[in-house]
Amino acid sequence: DAGVIQSPRHEVTEMGQEVTLRCKPISGHNSLFWYRQTMMRGLELLIYFNNNVPIDDSGMPEDRFSAKMPNASFSTLKIQPSEPRDSAVYFCASSFLGSGANVLTFGAGSRLTVL
Amino acid sequence: AQSVSQHNHHVILSEAASLELGCNYSYGGTVNLFWYVQYPGQHLQLLLKYFSGDPLVKGIKGFEAEFIKSKFSFNLRKPSVQWSDTAEYFCAVISMEYGNKLVFGAGTILRVKS
């Protein structure tokens, strides 16, 4: 299994531009998570999906952020318009939430720099 | 509010020294507990996990952690660190009362001097 795949690995953009981050979870996993990592705030959970349905988006910072999961093998996190304070590493993770315990596997991350 | 606290933000040790990183959580009820490691420039990898049973769990690379329910703690230990253990270590908790959310502590940066 290739693991959780994220793209792009690095993105540099100018303030005001739209940014789309992509994630392909591990096949067979039914939960998907988006985290943001910064020096100041550490690892923050932005949103998570279960069976493609958003369950908790309380961590999404504001309306500029949106996430979708159109099917079990793909999710996007979109920032429109982007701002310099959005600069961070964005991690996607997936897991199988079943009767047993829930272990997240993380992707390599997308490092976003907004100038 | 639910929270995960890691006591030390930076730890510097010499090779062969023993390591203990503290982690406390504020959730009640049933919890799943994790330690993840992030090597420089890399993504998060699972070190070890506790779900139930023996409160002393062993993970990869010689790490272990002990769940003490009465203290709401899940401290990470390693008897003898190596230079290659230099990384950032994150404690994380899933509380069954609060759904499927994995909440991380602030992390502890470990630097091992060779």
Side-chain angles (χ1 to χ4, degrees):
Chain A
D1 194 331
V4 176
I5 299 172
Q6 292 186 245
S7 64
R9 291 294 309 277
H10 301 274
E11 173 110 7
V12 179
T13 191
E14 293 188 341
M15 184 173 63
Q17 296 298 305
E18 178 180 294
V19 173
T20 300
L21 308 179
R22 298 172 178 79
C23 177
K24 177 177 167 52
I26 291 174
S27 177
H29 282 186
N30 59 5
S31 294
L32 183 140
F33 305 77
W34 283 101
Y35 284 85
R36 177 172 68 176
Q37 185 178 34
T38 61
M39 289 287 291
M40 292 298 295
R41 302 175 68 92
L43 276 157
E44 303 172 277
L45 177 63
L46 300 178
I47 185 171
Y48 78 90
F49 297 82
N50 196 35
N51 293 321
N52 312 339
V53 176
I55 302 300
D56 187 336
D57 65 354
S58 59
M60 296 286 263
E62 49 199 273
D63 292 345
R64 297 184 297 107
F65 285 69
S66 62
K68 294 182 180 179
M69 192 165 186
N71 57 61
S73 58
F74 184 65
S75 176
T76 59
L77 177 68
K78 187 173 291 186
I79 308 172
Q80 166 63 18
S82 58
E83 296 182 4
R85 60 193 168 121
D86 302 330
S87 297
V89 181
Y90 291 82
F91 288 102
C92 177
S94 70
S95 71
F96 178 74
L97 180 61
S99 58
N102 184 22
V103 180
L104 274 65
T105 301
F106 284 79
S110 294
R111 181 176 295 275
L112 173 64
T113 303
V114 183
L115 303 174
Chain B
Q2 316 97 55
S3 68
V4 181
S5 301
Q6 292 185 237
H7 310 311
N8 310 97
H9 192 53
H10 281 94
V11 172
I12 301 174
L13 295 173
S14 299
E15 277 194 308
S18 64
L19 170 71
E20 180 159 3
L21 302 181
C23 173
N24 287 90
Y25 59 93
S26 64
Y27 302 80
T30 302
V31 292
N32 294 161
L33 300 159
F34 307 81
W35 277 95
Y36 280 83
V37 61
Q38 188 176 30
Y39 297 102
Q42 296 190 26
H43 62 289
L44 289 144
Q45 301 171 47
L46 182 68
L47 259 186
L48 49 79
K49 60 187 183 293
Y50 172 81
F51 298 136
S52 63
D54 189 344
L56 184 63
V57 293
K58 296 191 183 298
I60 60 171
K61 304 186 181 186
F63 286 90
E64 65 179 31
E66 185 174 14
F67 171 50
I68 303 179
K69 189 174 182 179
S70 60
K71 295 185 178 180
F72 296 87
S73 70
F74 190 56
N75 293 353
L76 180 71
R77 299 195 291 249
K78 185 171 183 178
S80 175
V81 295
Q82 300 172 311
W83 177 80
S84 58
D85 294 324
T86 294
E88 189 162 12
Y89 293 82
F90 294 91
C91 180
V93 179
I94 291 177
S95 167
M96 298 300 106
E97 290 183 30
Y98 294 98
N100 196 24
K101 297 166 64 167
L102 182 66
V103 178
F104 284 89
T108 298
I109 297 171
L110 171 66
R111 187 165 80 88
V112 180
K113 300 184 293 183
S114 59

